[in-house]
Amino acid sequence: MRLLNCLEWTPFRAQHASVIYSFADSEIDVDAHTLRRGGQEVHVEPQVFDVLHLLVSHAGDMVSYDTLIDVVWDGRIVSDATVAARISAARAAVGDTGRTQDIIQTIARRGIKLIVPVHAHDTDPQNSPTTGVPTQTIRMTTSQDGSVLAWSSLGKGTPLLRAGHWLTHLEKDLTSSIWGPWIDRLSSRHQLVRYDPRGTGMSARDCGAISVRNGVEDMLAVADAARLERFSILASSQSAAIAFHFAARFPDRVDKIVTCGAFIQGSCVRDPASGNVMTDALAVMIKEGWGNPDSGYMRSVGTLFMPSATDGELSDILELQAASASSERAIEIRTCCAYYDEIPVLARVGVPVLVAHAINDSVHPFGQAQLIASHLPDARLLPLETTNHLMSPREAAFDVFMTALEAFLE
C-alpha cells in the first residue's frame, strides 16, 4: 500500500472557486483553467495543469509522489516515467528546468515542491470564506490495517462526527447541491468532523477490506486524529451499524447518535429473494453506467435513491458518486451492505439515539427504523414525510429533520 506523506491539503477554495495564483512570472487561473507566463497564455495538458495547481496549493510544502498520483491520476497505477514526464512538462511551462530547479524543486525519492512565493487572488468576492463556500483543511490519518483516510473539520461548537457512508467526497461535497446545505447547517452549530470511507473520495484508493469491523477502526482513527474525546455521531444508511458498534465498544467516547435512513439488516438478509435480485441488478447497472450521468442505468440507480430529485440534483449526485469511487469499489460497498445482520449489537448501545427515516424509503424500508428503535435501550423514532432515501435540502422533511437533530443534540 502507498502511504501519503503529505498530510494536509488546503485548497484556497473548493471546486468552483475563482482564484488566481501568481508566482515567479507566471499565474494560474483556476476558474478558467489557464496558465500564463509573462502575460502570455501557455498551453498545458490537463494533468500538467493539475500538477501545477497542486503545487501552488501547497506553496512551500513538499507534495509527495504518492499524493501527486492520488490527486492527479485519481490513485491509478502509473509508471515513474509518466510522473516524471508531467513534472518535466510543468517545469518547462513555468520556465524552469530539472537542472536549475529555480521554481520546482525535487526532493530525492520523496516528492516535489514549489520554492517561490505564491500569492492568491480571489476574483469573485462572493466566494470569500465568510460569504461563500467554506475553506477547509483536508488531513490524512491511518486506520489500524494501514488504510489511509482523508478527514476534515468545519465549524465550532460541540463536536459532531459524520460517519462515512456511500458515497462522499470531502472537497466536492462542499459545492454539492445535496451535501453542501447539510454541511452548512451542521457546521453552523457544531464542530463537524467528516471523513471519506476507505477507498473512496479523497481517502487512498488502495485499502483493506470493506467490513463493519474495519469501519469501526476507521471511525476510531478519525476521532483520535481529530482529538475528539467525547462526541455525537450522525450516521446515514450503512454507517449506522458502524456507529452502533463503535458506541458499544467505546461507551465513554459517544454522547448521542442520530441516524437517517439507517438499516441494521441488509437487503439480502431481511428478504433474501428480492434482496439478491436487487443487489445483482444494482451491480449490473453500476458496472454498465458508472461515470456517465446521462446513462439510463445510472439515472435508474439515482432515481431509486432519490425518486423526487430534480434533473440538476440527479446529475449532481451521479457525478459526485463517480468522482468518489470506481464502479468496482461502489459494487464492493453495496454488496457488503447487502449482507449486514447486526441486530445483536443494539442491546449494548447505552446512549440516546434519534432514529429518523423516510416513511416511503424504497431502498431501506421504514420497517428497518422501527426494528432499530425497538431493540435500542433509549431510542426516539422520527418518521419523515418523503420518498427519498437521500434527502434533498429543498424538501420540508429536511428542515423537520435538522430541527429535530438540533434539539436532540442540545
Side-chain angles (χ1 to χ4, degrees):
M1 172 185 292
R2 295 180 294 102
L3 297 182
L4 305 187
N5 294 320
C6 183
L7 297 182
E8 296 190 1
W9 181 22
T10 313
F12 284 96
R13 296 290 186 271
Q15 184 182 12
H16 300 300
S18 299
V19 181
I20 295 178
Y21 300 98
S22 301
F23 60 100
D25 64 344
S26 301
E27 65 178 25
I28 287 179
D29 187 327
V30 176
D31 192 47
H33 210 266
T34 57
L35 168 70
R36 296 183 185 87
R37 197 176 101 216
Q40 301 296 315
E41 185 169 335
V42 179
H43 173 73
V44 291
E45 297 296 331
Q47 289 177 342
V48 176
F49 184 89
D50 289 344
V51 170
L52 290 169
H53 185 192
L54 188 59
L55 284 170
V56 295
S57 297
H58 288 78
D61 295 327
M62 185 193 76
V63 175
S64 74
Y65 291 124
D66 289 334
T67 299
L68 195 68
I69 291 170
D70 273 345
V71 173
V72 177
W73 285 274
D74 201 24
R76 298 188 299 273
I77 297 174
V78 294
S79 67
D80 292 343
T82 297
V83 176
R86 300 300 184 274
I87 295 173
S88 178
R91 282 197 170 104
V94 297
D96 198 9
T97 68
R99 183 177 61 83
T100 61
Q101 297 190 14
D102 293 328
I103 299 174
I104 301 174
Q105 182 183 65
T106 296
I107 312 298
R109 294 181 296 279
R110 296 182 61 197
I112 56 176
K113 71 176 180 177
L114 202 68
I115 58 173
V116 295
V118 176
H119 303 283
H121 314 279
D122 193 337
T123 63
D124 184 356
Q126 292 184 349
N127 282 339
S128 66
T130 58
T131 60
V133 176
T135 58
Q136 67 178 340
T137 297
I138 296 173
R139 297 181 170 88
M140 298 292 180
T141 190
T142 305
S143 193
Q144 185 181 53
D145 68 351
S147 296
V148 177
L149 307 169
W151 67 276
S152 73
S153 177
L154 286 171
K156 295 181 180 180
T158 55
L160 176 64
L161 186 148
R162 188 186 79 169
H165 56 84
W166 195 80
L167 284 162
T168 62
H169 190 292
L170 285 179
E171 186 183 17
K172 295 182 184 299
D173 282 357
L174 293 179
T175 53
S176 165
S177 62
I178 306 299
W179 295 124
W182 282 71
I183 294 168
D184 289 345
R185 185 79 173 258
L186 295 169
S187 63
S188 68
R189 288 173 172 254
H190 301 278
Q191 177 197 356
L192 178 64
V193 175
R194 303 177 296 128
Y195 64 95
D196 287 329
R198 58 174 55 206
T200 72
M202 299 191 72
S203 294
R205 297 301 173 95
D206 183 15
C207 68
I210 306 295
S211 68
V212 173
R213 178 179 177 179
N214 283 342
V216 173
E217 295 296 342
D218 294 350
M219 184 178 288
L220 177 63
V222 172
D224 286 347
R227 299 180 181 178
L228 302 181
E229 295 183 3
R230 188 172 179 86
F231 53 94
S232 293
I233 301 173
L234 170 60
S236 299
S237 200
Q238 84 273 14
S239 67
I242 293 169
F244 293 143
H245 275 276
F246 187 95
R249 181 177 166 187
F250 304 104
D252 58 326
R253 300 286 297 271
V254 180
D255 188 18
K256 297 176 181 178
I257 297 175
V258 177
T259 69
C260 186
F263 63 98
I264 203 68
Q265 292 177 316
S267 58
C268 291
V269 172
R270 61 181 182 250
D271 188 349
S274 64
N276 287 325
V277 171
M278 176 179 282
T279 298
D280 291 343
L282 284 172
V284 170
M285 289 191 286
I286 290 171
K287 182 178 180 181
E288 295 297 327
W290 198 253
N292 179 9
D294 295 324
S295 163
Y297 288 113
M298 288 314 300
R299 294 188 76 82
S300 295
V301 173
T303 302
L304 177 65
F305 282 80
M306 201 173 182
S308 69
T310 65
D311 286 342
E313 287 174 334
L314 190 56
S315 296
D316 190 4
I317 197 63
L318 293 179
E319 290 173 0
L320 176 62
Q321 288 181 346
S324 176
S326 65
S327 59
E328 294 80 9
R329 181 73 70 203
I331 292 170
E332 180 185 8
I333 296 171
R334 287 292 309 158
T335 302
C336 172
C337 295
Y339 289 94
Y340 272 15
D341 192 5
E342 307 298 327
I343 291 177
V345 74
L346 297 177
R348 298 188 287 116
V349 177
V351 302
V353 182
L354 176 64
V355 183
H357 207 103
I359 294 175
N360 296 306
D361 193 325
S362 58
V363 178
H364 298 292
F366 185 69
Q368 282 292 297
Q370 294 171 310
L371 182 65
I372 290 170
S374 69
H375 282 78
L376 286 168
D378 185 1
R380 308 173 196 181
L381 183 62
L382 176 65
L384 297 172
E385 293 286 348
T386 176
T387 61
N388 293 327
H389 177 71
L390 177 56
M391 193 161 48
S392 169
R394 63 181 169 75
E395 296 181 85
F398 175 78
D399 285 326
V400 171
F401 171 67
M402 285 294 176
T403 300
L405 176 149
E406 290 161 359
F408 179 73
L409 295 182
E410 284 184 352

